[in-house]
Amino acid sequence: MASPELAHLGWRPFFQQQIKLEHRDCPACRVVAQYRNRLELLCQAGGVELALDPAMPAITVGDWLVLTQEGRFLQLLERQSLFRRKAPGRKVDEQLIAANVDTVFIVTSLNEDFSLNRIERYLSLANEARVEPVVVLSKSDLCGESERFQREVQKLDPLLMVESINCLDAGEVRKLLPWCGTGRTVVFLGSSGVGKSTLVNTLLGDAVQHTGSIRAKDGTGRHVTTGRSLHPMKEGGLLLDTPGLRELQLTDCDEGVNSTFAEIAALAERCRFADCRHDAEPGCAVRDAIARGELDERRLASYHKLIREQAVNSATLAEKRARDKRFGKMIKSVLSEKRARRT
Ligand SMILES: Nc1nc2c(ncn2[C@@H]2O[C@H](COP(=O)(O)OP(=O)(O)O)[C@@H](O)[C@H]2O)c(=O)[nH]1
Ligand SMILES: [Mg+2]
Ligand SMILES: [Zn+2]
Protein backbone atom coordinates (compact mmCIF):
# COMPACT_ATOMS: atom_id res chain seq x y z
CA MET A 1 0.00 0.00 0.00
CA ALA A 2 2.99 2.33 -0.34
CA SER A 3 1.48 3.88 -3.45
CA PRO A 4 -2.03 2.56 -3.62
CA GLU A 5 -4.20 2.89 -6.66
CA LEU A 6 -6.88 5.42 -5.82
CA ALA A 7 -9.57 2.87 -6.70
CA HIS A 8 -8.14 0.61 -3.96
CA LEU A 9 -8.81 3.38 -1.47
CA GLY A 10 -12.43 3.65 -2.56
CA TRP A 11 -12.12 6.32 -5.26
CA ARG A 12 -14.99 6.26 -7.77
CA PRO A 13 -16.79 8.48 -10.31
CA PHE A 14 -19.03 10.01 -7.63
CA PHE A 15 -15.94 11.70 -6.14
CA GLN A 16 -14.14 12.34 -9.42
CA GLN A 17 -17.15 14.29 -10.72
CA GLN A 18 -16.87 16.79 -7.88
CA ILE A 19 -13.38 17.98 -8.78
CA LYS A 20 -13.21 21.27 -10.63
CA LEU A 21 -11.44 21.24 -13.95
CA GLU A 22 -8.64 23.49 -12.71
CA HIS A 23 -7.98 21.09 -9.81
CA ARG A 24 -7.84 17.99 -11.97
CA ASP A 25 -4.16 17.45 -11.27
CA CYS A 26 -4.39 18.05 -7.53
CA PRO A 27 -3.99 15.00 -5.30
CA ALA A 28 -7.13 13.35 -3.90
CA CYS A 29 -6.55 11.78 -0.47
CA ARG A 30 -8.59 9.61 1.85
CA VAL A 31 -8.60 10.30 5.59
CA VAL A 32 -7.30 7.16 7.34
CA ALA A 33 -6.84 8.56 10.83
CA GLN A 34 -7.81 11.57 12.83
CA TYR A 35 -5.96 13.09 15.78
CA ARG A 36 -6.56 16.16 17.91
CA ASN A 37 -4.79 18.57 15.58
CA ARG A 38 -3.88 16.65 12.44
CA LEU A 39 -5.21 14.19 9.91
CA GLU A 40 -3.42 11.27 8.37
CA LEU A 41 -4.24 10.82 4.70
CA LEU A 42 -3.44 8.31 2.01
CA CYS A 43 -3.11 9.30 -1.62
CA GLN A 44 -1.54 7.78 -4.69
CA ALA A 45 1.90 9.04 -3.60
CA GLY A 46 1.55 7.39 -0.15
CA GLY A 47 0.93 8.80 3.32
CA VAL A 48 0.44 12.52 3.90
CA GLU A 49 -0.24 14.54 7.02
CA LEU A 50 -2.48 17.55 7.17
CA ALA A 51 -2.61 19.96 10.12
CA LEU A 52 -6.19 20.68 11.18
CA ASP A 53 -7.18 24.28 10.80
CA PRO A 54 -10.37 25.81 12.25
CA ALA A 55 -11.09 27.29 8.84
CA MET A 56 -11.53 23.80 7.38
CA PRO A 57 -14.95 22.11 7.42
CA ALA A 58 -15.59 19.22 9.82
CA ILE A 59 -13.73 16.18 8.49
CA THR A 60 -13.80 12.57 9.62
CA VAL A 61 -12.25 9.19 8.93
CA GLY A 62 -13.18 7.91 5.46
CA ASP A 63 -13.57 11.38 3.97
CA TRP A 64 -12.04 12.32 0.62
CA LEU A 65 -10.09 15.56 0.38
CA VAL A 66 -8.42 17.38 -2.46
CA LEU A 67 -5.13 19.12 -1.63
CA THR A 68 -3.14 21.71 -3.52
CA GLN A 69 0.11 20.58 -5.17
CA GLU A 70 1.84 22.08 -2.10
CA GLY A 71 -0.25 19.86 0.19
CA ARG A 72 -2.64 22.46 1.55
CA PHE A 73 -6.37 21.79 2.03
CA LEU A 74 -8.47 22.64 -1.00
CA GLN A 75 -11.78 20.76 -0.93
CA LEU A 76 -13.79 18.26 1.11
CA LEU A 77 -15.71 16.05 -1.29
CA GLU A 78 -19.39 15.36 -0.76
CA ARG A 79 -19.95 12.07 1.10
CA GLN A 80 -21.85 9.04 -0.11
CA SER A 81 -22.71 8.11 3.46
CA LEU A 82 -22.05 9.40 6.96
CA PHE A 83 -22.27 8.02 10.48
CA ARG A 84 -22.71 10.86 12.92
CA ARG A 85 -23.93 11.66 16.34
CA LYS A 86 -26.44 14.31 15.64
CA ALA A 87 -27.61 16.71 18.27
CA PRO A 88 -30.66 18.88 17.87
CA GLY A 89 -30.07 22.44 16.91
CA ARG A 90 -26.84 23.86 15.64
CA LYS A 91 -24.81 21.95 13.09
CA VAL A 92 -21.57 22.55 15.00
CA ASP A 93 -22.86 20.21 17.71
CA GLU A 94 -22.66 17.26 15.35
CA GLN A 95 -19.98 14.70 15.91
CA LEU A 96 -18.88 13.02 12.71
CA ILE A 97 -17.86 9.40 13.13
CA ALA A 98 -17.19 7.79 9.75
CA ALA A 99 -17.74 8.77 6.13
CA ASN A 100 -18.11 6.94 2.84
CA VAL A 101 -18.81 3.50 4.28
CA ASP A 102 -20.38 1.12 1.74
CA THR A 103 -21.57 -1.72 3.93
CA VAL A 104 -22.31 -2.22 7.61
CA PHE A 105 -22.19 -5.80 8.88
CA ILE A 106 -24.67 -6.06 11.73
CA VAL A 107 -23.40 -9.01 13.75
CA THR A 108 -25.59 -10.83 16.22
CA SER A 109 -24.96 -14.35 17.49
CA LEU A 110 -27.41 -17.20 17.29
CA ASN A 111 -27.66 -17.65 21.05
CA GLU A 112 -28.91 -15.47 23.92
CA ASP A 113 -27.72 -12.39 22.04
CA PHE A 114 -30.22 -12.92 19.23
CA SER A 115 -32.81 -10.17 19.27
CA LEU A 116 -34.90 -8.79 16.43
CA ASN A 117 -35.25 -5.54 18.37
CA ARG A 118 -31.48 -5.11 18.53
CA ILE A 119 -31.16 -5.84 14.82
CA GLU A 120 -33.80 -3.17 14.18
CA ARG A 121 -31.83 -0.67 16.26
CA TYR A 122 -28.70 -1.28 14.15
CA LEU A 123 -30.74 -1.15 10.94
CA SER A 124 -32.00 2.27 12.01
CA LEU A 125 -28.41 3.48 12.46
CA ALA A 126 -27.44 2.05 9.05
CA ASN A 127 -30.43 3.61 7.31
CA GLU A 128 -29.84 6.96 8.96
CA ALA A 129 -26.23 6.87 7.70
CA ARG A 130 -27.42 5.69 4.26
CA VAL A 131 -25.16 2.64 4.40
CA GLU A 132 -26.23 -0.74 3.05
CA PRO A 133 -26.77 -3.22 5.93
CA VAL A 134 -25.95 -6.93 5.90
CA VAL A 135 -27.14 -8.94 8.89
CA VAL A 136 -24.60 -11.55 9.99
CA LEU A 137 -25.92 -14.26 12.29
CA SER A 138 -22.80 -15.65 13.95
CA LYS A 139 -22.12 -18.88 15.89
CA SER A 140 -24.36 -20.88 13.57
CA ASP A 141 -22.37 -23.95 14.69
CA LEU A 142 -23.82 -23.57 18.19
CA CYS A 143 -27.42 -23.33 17.00
CA GLY A 144 -29.50 -26.13 15.61
CA GLU A 145 -32.08 -23.82 14.07
CA SER A 146 -30.08 -21.18 12.26
CA GLU A 147 -32.42 -21.39 9.26
CA ARG A 148 -35.45 -20.57 11.37
CA PHE A 149 -33.68 -17.52 12.83
CA GLN A 150 -32.55 -16.48 9.38
CA ARG A 151 -36.17 -16.63 8.15
CA GLU A 152 -37.29 -14.54 11.12
CA VAL A 153 -34.79 -11.82 10.26
CA GLN A 154 -35.70 -11.99 6.61
CA LYS A 155 -39.31 -11.29 7.58
CA LEU A 156 -38.23 -7.81 8.73
CA ASP A 157 -37.55 -6.94 5.11
CA PRO A 158 -37.64 -9.31 2.13
CA LEU A 159 -34.78 -7.39 0.47
CA LEU A 160 -32.51 -7.44 3.52
CA MET A 161 -29.30 -9.44 3.14
CA VAL A 162 -28.92 -12.05 5.86
CA GLU A 163 -26.07 -14.55 6.26
CA SER A 164 -25.57 -17.10 9.01
CA ILE A 165 -21.96 -17.96 9.68
CA ASN A 166 -19.63 -19.96 11.85
CA CYS A 167 -16.98 -17.28 12.27
CA LEU A 168 -14.35 -19.86 13.27
CA ASP A 169 -14.58 -21.46 9.82
CA ALA A 170 -12.62 -19.41 7.25
CA GLY A 171 -14.57 -21.12 4.47
CA GLU A 172 -17.86 -19.78 5.84
CA VAL A 173 -16.48 -16.30 6.33
CA ARG A 174 -16.15 -16.25 2.54
CA LYS A 175 -19.90 -15.53 2.48
CA LEU A 176 -18.97 -11.92 3.33
CA LEU A 177 -16.46 -11.48 0.50
CA PRO A 178 -18.95 -10.08 -2.05
CA TRP A 179 -19.07 -6.90 0.06
CA CYS A 180 -15.32 -6.74 0.73
CA GLY A 181 -13.91 -6.37 -2.79
CA THR A 182 -11.43 -3.77 -4.00
CA GLY A 183 -12.17 -0.27 -2.81
CA ARG A 184 -15.24 -1.24 -0.76
CA THR A 185 -15.37 0.17 2.76
CA VAL A 186 -17.06 -1.90 5.47
CA VAL A 187 -17.75 -1.54 9.20
CA PHE A 188 -18.88 -4.02 11.84
CA LEU A 189 -21.50 -3.28 14.47
CA GLY A 190 -22.66 -5.61 17.21
CA SER A 191 -22.52 -6.42 20.91
CA SER A 192 -19.34 -7.56 22.58
CA GLY A 193 -18.62 -11.27 22.21
CA VAL A 194 -20.62 -11.93 19.05
CA GLY A 195 -17.56 -12.62 16.89
CA LYS A 196 -16.62 -9.31 15.27
CA SER A 197 -12.89 -9.61 16.00
CA THR A 198 -12.89 -13.20 14.81
CA LEU A 199 -14.46 -12.16 11.49
CA VAL A 200 -12.21 -9.14 11.13
CA ASN A 201 -9.05 -11.17 11.73
CA THR A 202 -10.02 -13.63 9.01
CA LEU A 203 -10.90 -10.83 6.58
CA LEU A 204 -7.67 -8.93 7.26
CA GLY A 205 -5.57 -12.09 7.04
CA ASP A 206 -2.11 -11.42 5.61
CA ALA A 207 -3.20 -7.90 4.84
CA VAL A 208 -2.47 -7.09 8.50
CA GLN A 209 1.22 -7.27 7.66
CA HIS A 210 0.49 -4.94 4.81
CA THR A 211 -0.57 -2.18 7.17
CA GLY A 212 3.04 -2.19 8.43
CA SER A 213 4.14 -0.55 5.22
CA ILE A 214 1.85 2.39 5.74
CA ARG A 215 2.98 2.94 9.31
CA ALA A 216 4.02 6.45 10.12
CA LYS A 217 7.38 7.36 11.63
CA ASP A 218 7.45 9.27 14.89
CA GLY A 219 9.75 12.24 15.66
CA THR A 220 12.74 9.97 16.24
CA GLY A 221 12.27 8.14 12.95
CA ARG A 222 10.98 4.99 14.64
CA HIS A 223 8.00 3.24 13.14
CA VAL A 224 4.98 3.56 15.37
CA THR A 225 1.62 1.90 15.25
CA THR A 226 -0.75 4.78 14.89
CA GLY A 227 -4.40 4.60 15.76
CA ARG A 228 -5.26 4.32 12.11
CA SER A 229 -8.90 3.53 11.47
CA LEU A 230 -8.85 2.22 7.88
CA HIS A 231 -7.34 -1.22 7.39
CA PRO A 232 -6.81 -2.99 4.08
CA MET A 233 -8.51 -6.39 3.82
CA LYS A 234 -7.18 -9.43 2.00
CA GLU A 235 -9.88 -9.23 -0.64
CA GLY A 236 -9.02 -5.61 -1.52
CA GLY A 237 -11.60 -3.78 0.55
CA LEU A 238 -11.09 -1.54 3.55
CA LEU A 239 -12.21 -2.15 7.08
CA LEU A 240 -13.09 1.00 8.96
CA ASP A 241 -12.72 0.61 12.70
CA THR A 242 -13.07 3.67 14.88
CA PRO A 243 -13.99 3.89 18.59
CA GLY A 244 -16.90 6.26 17.95
CA LEU A 245 -18.67 3.56 15.97
CA ARG A 246 -18.67 1.18 18.91
CA GLU A 247 -20.46 3.73 21.07
CA LEU A 248 -22.90 4.83 18.42
CA GLN A 249 -26.33 5.49 19.87
CA LEU A 250 -29.59 6.52 18.35
CA THR A 251 -29.71 10.29 18.57
CA ASP A 252 -31.97 12.31 16.35
CA CYS A 253 -32.43 9.27 14.15
CA ASP A 254 -36.04 9.78 13.13
CA GLU A 255 -35.47 9.12 9.44
CA GLY A 256 -33.41 6.01 10.08
CA VAL A 257 -36.06 4.48 12.33
CA ASN A 258 -38.89 5.37 9.96
CA SER A 259 -37.15 3.84 6.96
CA THR A 260 -36.38 0.70 8.99
CA PHE A 261 -40.07 0.41 9.76
CA ALA A 262 -41.24 1.63 6.36
CA GLU A 263 -44.41 -0.52 6.45
CA ILE A 264 -45.52 1.08 9.73
CA ALA A 265 -44.84 4.56 8.37
CA ALA A 266 -46.91 3.67 5.28
CA LEU A 267 -49.80 2.32 7.36
CA ALA A 268 -49.71 5.39 9.62
CA GLU A 269 -50.48 7.56 6.60
CA ARG A 270 -53.92 5.94 6.56
CA CYS A 271 -54.72 6.47 10.26
CA ARG A 272 -57.67 8.77 10.83
CA PHE A 273 -55.66 11.19 12.99
CA ALA A 274 -52.45 12.68 11.68
CA ASP A 275 -50.90 12.47 15.16
CA CYS A 276 -52.18 8.92 15.83
CA ARG A 277 -50.02 7.08 18.36
CA HIS A 278 -51.42 3.71 17.20
CA ASP A 279 -52.50 3.05 20.74
CA ALA A 280 -56.29 2.99 21.10
CA GLU A 281 -57.35 5.73 18.73
CA PRO A 282 -60.31 5.01 16.44
CA GLY A 283 -59.56 4.52 12.76
CA CYS A 284 -55.96 3.39 13.39
CA ALA A 285 -54.65 1.61 10.27
CA VAL A 286 -51.66 0.27 12.21
CA ARG A 287 -53.82 -1.44 14.87
CA ASP A 288 -56.08 -2.75 12.11
CA ALA A 289 -53.07 -4.36 10.42
CA ILE A 290 -52.14 -6.02 13.72
CA ALA A 291 -55.71 -7.27 14.15
CA ARG A 292 -55.61 -8.76 10.66
CA GLY A 293 -52.31 -10.47 11.49
CA GLU A 294 -50.37 -8.48 8.90
CA LEU A 295 -48.15 -6.73 11.42
CA ASP A 296 -46.50 -8.11 14.55
CA GLU A 297 -47.30 -6.51 17.87
CA ARG A 298 -43.58 -6.93 18.65
CA ARG A 299 -42.62 -4.87 15.62
CA LEU A 300 -44.87 -1.97 16.58
CA ALA A 301 -43.54 -2.04 20.15
CA SER A 302 -39.97 -2.05 18.84
CA TYR A 303 -40.76 0.91 16.57
CA HIS A 304 -42.22 2.90 19.47
CA LYS A 305 -39.28 2.06 21.67
CA LEU A 306 -36.69 3.19 19.12
CA ILE A 307 -38.52 6.40 18.27
CA ARG A 308 -38.67 7.17 22.01
CA GLU A 309 -35.05 6.18 22.58
CA GLN A 310 -33.70 8.49 19.90
CA ALA A 311 -35.86 11.36 21.16
CA VAL A 312 -34.69 10.84 24.76
CA ASN A 313 -31.02 10.58 23.72
CA SER A 314 -31.28 13.77 21.69
CA ALA A 315 -32.89 15.58 24.60
CA THR A 316 -30.25 14.39 27.08
CA LEU A 317 -27.50 15.54 24.76
CA ALA A 318 -29.11 18.96 24.42
CA GLU A 319 -29.60 19.16 28.21
CA LYS A 320 -26.01 18.20 28.86
CA ARG A 321 -24.77 20.90 26.52
CA ALA A 322 -27.02 23.48 28.15
CA ARG A 323 -25.77 22.39 31.57
CA ASP A 324 -22.12 22.67 30.49
CA LYS A 325 -22.83 26.12 29.15
CA ARG A 326 -24.53 27.21 32.38
CA PHE A 327 -21.63 25.82 34.40
CA GLY A 328 -19.13 27.70 32.23
CA LYS A 329 -21.07 30.93 32.71
CA MET A 330 -21.26 30.37 36.45
CA ILE A 331 -17.47 29.89 36.71
CA LYS A 332 -16.91 32.99 34.64
CA SER A 333 -19.16 35.13 36.80
CA VAL A 334 -17.57 33.82 40.01
CA LEU A 335 -14.13 34.64 38.67
CA SER A 336 -15.07 38.11 37.56
CA GLU A 337 -16.75 38.77 40.91
CA LYS A 338 -13.54 37.73 42.64
CA ARG A 339 -11.56 40.00 40.41
CA ALA A 340 -13.96 42.86 41.09
CA ARG A 341 -13.62 42.35 44.83
CA ARG A 342 -9.85 42.42 44.64
CA THR A 343 -9.74 45.79 42.94
N1 LIG B 1 -18.45 -21.51 18.24
C1 LIG B 1 -18.25 -20.28 17.77
N2 LIG B 1 -17.55 -19.40 18.50
C2 LIG B 1 -17.35 -18.17 18.01
C3 LIG B 1 -17.88 -17.76 16.77
N3 LIG B 1 -17.55 -16.47 16.58
C4 LIG B 1 -16.83 -16.09 17.63
N4 LIG B 1 -16.70 -17.10 18.51
C5 LIG B 1 -16.01 -17.04 19.82
O1 LIG B 1 -16.68 -16.08 20.62
C6 LIG B 1 -15.77 -15.35 21.41
C7 LIG B 1 -15.92 -13.87 21.15
O2 LIG B 1 -15.53 -13.57 19.81
P1 LIG B 1 -14.93 -12.17 19.38
O3 LIG B 1 -14.57 -12.26 17.95
O4 LIG B 1 -13.86 -11.73 20.31
O5 LIG B 1 -16.19 -11.22 19.58
P2 LIG B 1 -16.28 -9.63 19.53
O6 LIG B 1 -16.35 -9.15 20.95
O7 LIG B 1 -17.55 -9.34 18.80
O8 LIG B 1 -15.08 -9.10 18.82
C8 LIG B 1 -14.39 -15.88 21.07
O9 LIG B 1 -14.05 -16.84 22.03
C9 LIG B 1 -14.59 -16.54 19.71
O10 LIG B 1 -13.69 -17.59 19.47
C10 LIG B 1 -18.65 -18.73 16.02
O11 LIG B 1 -19.18 -18.48 14.91
N5 LIG B 1 -18.79 -19.96 16.57
MG1 LIG C 1 -13.70 -7.65 19.49
ZN1 LIG D 1 -52.61 4.77 14.06
Side-chain angles (χ1 to χ4, degrees), residues 67-299:
L67 304 185
T68 64
Q69 300 289 359
E70 297 76 37
R72 283 195 311 272
F73 174 80
L74 198 58
Q75 191 185 357
L76 162 69
L77 298 183
E78 192 195 324
R79 298 150 176 140
Q80 280 199 312
S81 64
L82 178 64
F83 282 103
R84 59 185 152 177
R85 227 178 78 171
K86 288 200 286 180
R90 298 180 313 148
K91 215 176 161 88
V92 270
D93 287 338
E94 281 191 341
Q95 192 186 347
L96 307 186
I97 293 171
N100 299 318
V101 172
D102 295 298
T103 303
V104 45
F105 291 118
I106 296 170
V107 190
T108 182
S109 55
L110 286 165
N111 51 14
E112 316 79 51
D113 182 71
F114 182 85
S115 145
L116 292 173
N117 291 26
R118 184 178 302 113
I119 294 172
E120 286 164 336
R121 170 184 286 111
Y122 284 121
L123 286 174
S124 301
L125 287 170
N127 286 325
E128 184 75 21
R130 300 188 183 279
V131 176
E132 172 192 55
V134 176
V135 176
V136 179
L137 303 175
S138 63
K139 309 199 183 184
S140 60
D141 55 310
L142 302 181
C143 172
E145 312 170 283
S146 57
E147 274 153 42
R148 181 171 71 78
F149 284 110
Q150 193 162 342
R151 272 199 305 278
E152 251 184 67
V153 177
Q154 196 68 72
K155 262 185 18 198
L156 300 178
D157 175 354
L159 297 177
L160 184 63
M161 261 120 10
V162 191
E163 301 286 354
S164 59
I165 288 190
N166 169 6
C167 307
L168 305 178
D169 180 337
E172 289 209 10
V173 177
R174 296 190 63 81
K175 289 181 184 172
L176 304 187
L177 296 189
W179 293 281
C180 302
T182 301
R184 310 285 302 171
T185 303
V186 307
V187 300
F188 283 83
L189 290 180
S191 318
S192 173
V194 294
K196 297 182 298 298
S197 297
T198 310
L199 285 170
V200 161
N201 288 336
T202 306
L203 291 169
L204 292 179
D206 306 334
V208 176
Q209 239 118 38
H210 229 116
T211 53
S213 61
I214 49 168
R215 266 185 198 167
K217 284 182 182 166
D218 66 11
T220 62
R222 258 184 332 209
H223 282 277
V224 288
T225 317
T226 59
R228 184 178 287 102
S229 303
L230 266 180
H231 308 271
M233 291 185 290
K234 229 172 15 182
E235 212 64 17
L238 298 154
L239 169 79
L240 198 156
D241 184 21
T242 185
L245 265 178
R246 271 165 249 154
E247 295 140 24
L248 203 55
Q249 290 192 4
L250 294 181
T251 44
D252 203 6
C253 194
D254 216 67
E255 265 179 57
V257 177
N258 276 301
S259 66
T260 302
F261 296 85
E263 87 281 26
I264 294 181
L267 285 166
E269 303 248 305
R270 307 209 312 264
C271 292
R272 184 176 306 161
F273 301 109
D275 61 347
C276 184
R277 279 165 303 147
H278 325 307
D279 187 9
E281 289 95 334
C284 174
V286 175
R287 301 254 35 128
D288 287 351
I290 290 176
R292 285 195 306 271
E294 289 165 13
L295 177 69
D296 273 353
E297 190 80 53
R298 181 207 65 77
R299 185 125 164 110

Side-chain angles (χ1 to χ4, degrees), residues 302-328:
S302 172
Y303 170 75
H304 277 148
K305 186 161 177 285
L306 292 178
I307 284 284
R308 233 182 354 253
E309 182 180 319
Q310 58 93 33
V312 166
N313 283 346
S314 312
T316 350
L317 215 67
E319 267 163 34
K320 185 184 168 301
R321 294 224 162 93
R323 212 164 42 227
D324 289 352
K325 218 166 161 186
R326 275 202 304 275
F327 184 67

Side-chain angles (χ1 to χ4, degrees), residues 322-334:
R323 212 164 42 227
D324 289 352
K325 218 166 161 186
R326 275 202 304 275
F327 184 67
K329 271 192 189 151
M330 196 260 284
I331 295 279
K332 251 193 215 153
S333 77
V334 167

